[in-house]
């Protein structure tokens, strides 16, 4: 029994080598697992399930093939692909999970999330997040035709490339007190998240109890997978 966790692939048509590595992972590694968790930022951008780009269709088909083998696939939104919806989930055979979710990982209650909500000191980002997560703003955004949504996405990405928003995403790490708060709140001693692109297994304490914060890696220069068994969890890489 093996449970796999990935995040921060940032798939886009401009980086086919990442997509190829990911599709190979779905074909060769994932079928041997008992579950696959995708903890956000699978895609570099997402403006609606109706976009239907060749990349999105290729990924949905590959997920569906895995799901048809009987491997459950779970997805938590990232800050990039927070608009991934029910239609894409259904086509992929994956289950959408809420932004914070507790699973039983080999007997250990484990909190899983993307990780952007832990970066509370990045106030600019949190302000932007509140806006684009507002249901009314999303409802209005989805009323817009695809070509307008595409143009807005391009504009926001171009503006963010040199802005504070993008810098802080790279520079800023999680807030330690927020980590302890959400772990206590959810009654867990294990947390798995991505987003910061700083793969590591941190031994921490929650009061007197030993606890772990596991950070997934990005897929910028290699594949990055957290492999968990009854024996424990290990961070692994996959060459492109
Ligand atoms: C995703 C990020 C671009 C970070 C816009 C309402 C608005 C949704 C949106 C547009 C952008 C997602 C959906 C994208 C994440 C960026 C740049 C930085 C730090 C509105 C609802 F504006 F019209 F109100 N968006 N896209 N960034 O291109 O995928 O997370 S995106
Ligand atoms: Mn992220």
């Amino acid at each position: 029994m093996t449970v796999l966790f990935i995040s921060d692939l940032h798939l886009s048509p401009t980086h086919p080598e990442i997509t190829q590595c990911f599709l190979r992972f779905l074909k060769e590694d994932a079928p041997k697992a008992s579950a696959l968790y995708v903890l956000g930022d699978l895609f570099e951008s997402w403006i609606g399930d109706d976009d239907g780009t060749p990349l999105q269709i290729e990924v949905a088909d590959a997920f569906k093939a895995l799901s048809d083998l009987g491997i459950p696939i779970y997805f938590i939104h990232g800050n990039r692909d927070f608009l991934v919806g029910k239609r894409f989930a259904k086509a992929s055979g994956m289950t959408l999970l809420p932004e914070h979710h507790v699973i039983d990982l080999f007997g250990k209650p484990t909190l899983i999330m993307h990780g952007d909500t832990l970066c509370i000191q990045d106030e600019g980002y949190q302000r932007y997040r509140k806006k684009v997560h507002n249901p009314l703003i999303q409802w209005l955004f989805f009323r817009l035709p695809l070509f307008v949504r595409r143009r807005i996405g391009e504009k926001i990405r171009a503006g963010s490339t040199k802005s504070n928003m993008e810098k802080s995403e790279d520079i800023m790490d999680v807030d330690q007190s927020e980590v302890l708060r959400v772990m206590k709140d959810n009654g867990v001693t294990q947390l798995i998240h991505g987003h910061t692109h700083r793969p590591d297994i941190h031994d921490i304490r929650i009061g007197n109890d030993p606890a772990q914060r596991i950070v997934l890696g990005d897929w910028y220069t290699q594949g990055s997978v957290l492999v968990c068994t009854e024996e424990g969890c290990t961070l692994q890489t996959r060459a492109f």
Side-chain angles (χ1 to χ4, degrees):
M1 282 248 291
T2 303
V3 179
L4 302 175
F5 297 85
I6 57 172
S7 72
D8 303 287
L9 293 87
H10 293 257
L11 298 178
S12 89
T14 55
H15 291 280
E17 71 284 2
I18 305 177
T19 306
Q20 285 321 304
C21 188
F22 171 58
L23 294 174
R24 200 181 335 120
F25 163 80
L26 287 184
K27 262 213 169 99
E28 294 174 6
D29 297 65
K32 294 178 261 171
S34 46
L36 170 64
Y37 288 87
V38 183
L39 302 190
D41 286 0
L42 173 65
F43 293 100
E44 173 68 7
S45 65
W46 197 272
I47 52 159
D49 291 6
D50 54 341
D51 201 11
T53 65
L55 171 67
Q56 293 164 10
I57 293 165
E58 198 176 16
V59 170
D61 289 348
F63 271 139
K64 190 64 168 58
L66 180 65
S67 160
D68 286 344
L69 294 175
I71 317 293
I73 306 163
Y74 301 98
F75 183 88
I76 293 182
H77 295 104
N79 54 295
R80 293 269 166 190
D81 50 17
F82 62 95
L83 289 185
V84 165
K86 287 178 189 161
R87 181 168 152 190
F88 181 78
K90 190 161 188 236
S92 303
M94 66 185 195
T95 304
L96 296 176
L97 297 177
E99 66 180 49
H100 297 121
H101 188 67
V102 177
I103 59 170
D104 178 335
L105 190 58
F106 302 106
K108 205 182 261 185
T110 302
L111 178 63
I112 56 174
M113 62 172 77
H114 177 57
D116 57 324
T117 54
L118 297 171
C119 302
I120 53 166
Q121 70 282 49
D122 191 347
E123 288 169 3
Y125 168 70
Q126 296 301 338
R127 256 197 316 274
Y128 155 87
R129 188 182 195 278
K130 214 168 175 172
K131 278 183 203 135
V132 292
H133 278 256
N134 180 314
L136 173 63
I137 289 179
Q138 288 190 6
W139 182 84
L140 290 167
F141 186 70
F142 283 132
R143 300 295 109 186
L144 300 169
L146 255 179
F147 80 95
V148 177
R149 277 180 274 149
R150 241 179 245 134
R151 206 175 294 164
I152 291 174
E154 282 159 16
K155 273 253 156 63
I156 294 181
R157 287 199 300 281
S160 119
T161 301
K162 291 241 158 124
S163 88
N164 238 348
M165 204 193 268
E166 187 101 334
K167 259 189 216 159
S168 25
E169 199 193 347
D170 290 341
I171 291 163
M172 288 195 155
D173 202 351
V174 299
D175 182 87
Q176 196 54 34
S177 61
E178 183 64 6
V179 167
L180 297 178
R181 192 191 67 75
V182 292
M183 290 181 78
K184 279 182 196 151
D185 241 39
N186 287 277
V188 298
T189 53
Q190 187 157 258
L191 165 65
I192 302 176
H193 71 83
H195 180 66
T196 61
H197 302 195
R198 298 167 197 228
D200 207 341
I201 300 183
H202 301 274
D203 285 310
I204 57 174
R205 295 192 88 79
I206 301 199
N208 282 327
D209 300 325
Q212 279 182 317
R213 178 171 69 94
I214 303 177
V215 188
L216 308 179
D218 64 58
W219 285 54
Y220 285 171
T221 54
Q222 60 193 357
S224 185
V225 186
L226 179 72
V227 181
C228 295
T229 68
E230 300 84 344
E231 314 288 297
C233 296
T234 54
L235 282 163
Q236 298 182 8
T237 57
R238 300 280 184 276
F240 279 172

